[in-house]
Amino acid sequence: KQPWRVAVVGNQQARQTIAAAMRPVWEEYVATSASGQRPFVLGRSIDGIETTPVPNALIDDIATVPVVLAIAADLGQIALMDGQLDRPPITGGASIYPFCWNLLLSARAHGLGGVLTTFLSRREPDVAEVLGLPERHALAATIFLGYPQHQPTRLTRRGVERSEEHTSELQSH
């Protein structure tokens, strides 16, 4: 049993609500990064960071994104292997995020491109109702799928020459 649900967000009003919720998170992220800090680090306040509007195609053009998915985890069913430690648990996404990655890989195999983001998760209480988020569920990710303008193919690289000196240097680290 996999304790998550996937919702396809097709309703344009719901998409606009999502975009409005993501906008300030995106702007806080950009402003915090520009200040030289790592955004949204546990225990670090971002109060006082001045934000400005910054374009983001996923947010700005959410109405035209072919597929918007919300991935929610059932908190009553997630195995939190580190849930009893004296810190916030991090293992709860151990099965959800590989599922999301597999979804992106499957989409890629069908000619689609995708983006996974957790920006909307920061504003979960603001969007829970519009997403129909069930009780005891947390918004783990939002995935945007569409048709890429260019599909990257296998990269060509020059071979790496391994010398004994280089190999021993790598082993010492």
Side-chain angles (χ1 to χ4, degrees):
K1 181 179 179 184
Q2 303 300 332
W4 59 74
R5 293 181 182 208
V6 179
V8 178
V9 184
N11 178 284
Q12 289 302 319
Q13 183 58 44
R15 286 182 178 210
Q16 291 308 318
T17 300
I18 287 170
M22 288 178 72
R23 165 78 36 213
V25 178
W26 167 247
E27 291 171 356
E28 288 173 335
Y29 181 87
V30 171
T32 305
S33 295
S35 76
Q37 299 179 58
R38 185 170 301 267
F40 312 124
V41 172
L42 186 65
R44 186 182 301 155
S45 173
I46 59 169
D47 293 339
I49 296 286
E50 189 172 322
T51 64
T52 57
V54 178
N56 179 307
L58 289 175
I59 295 170
D60 300 338
D61 301 327
I62 198 167
T64 63
V65 175
V67 179
V68 178
L69 303 173
I71 315 298
D74 183 342
L75 297 175
Q77 299 296 318
I78 292 287
L80 293 174
M81 302 310 278
D82 58 349
Q84 303 304 314
L85 299 178
D86 190 24
R87 63 163 173 73
I90 63 170
T91 61
S95 61
I96 297 160
Y97 294 112
F99 163 76
C100 292
W101 181 248
N102 286 339
L103 192 149
L104 289 167
L105 288 175
S106 179
R108 169 73 165 88
H110 292 282
L112 297 170
V115 174
L116 180 150
T117 180
T118 56
F119 284 160
L120 190 58
S121 300
R122 188 163 176 82
R123 299 290 301 270
E124 178 185 302
D126 301 332
V127 297
E129 187 175 333
V130 75
L131 291 175
L133 199 61
E135 189 175 324
R136 297 182 332 166
H137 280 65
L139 183 59
T142 309
I143 296 178
F144 299 88
L145 297 174
Y147 300 97
Q149 292 177 352
H150 170 72
Q151 190 70 276
T153 59
R154 181 181 304 256
L155 299 175
T156 56
R157 296 185 177 110
R158 290 183 297 155
V160 177
E161 293 183 32
R162 302 187 101 187
S163 67
E164 281 189 40
E165 180 181 308
H166 182 72
T167 302
S168 63
E169 182 181 311
L170 288 174
Q171 291 171 346
S172 69
H173 291 285

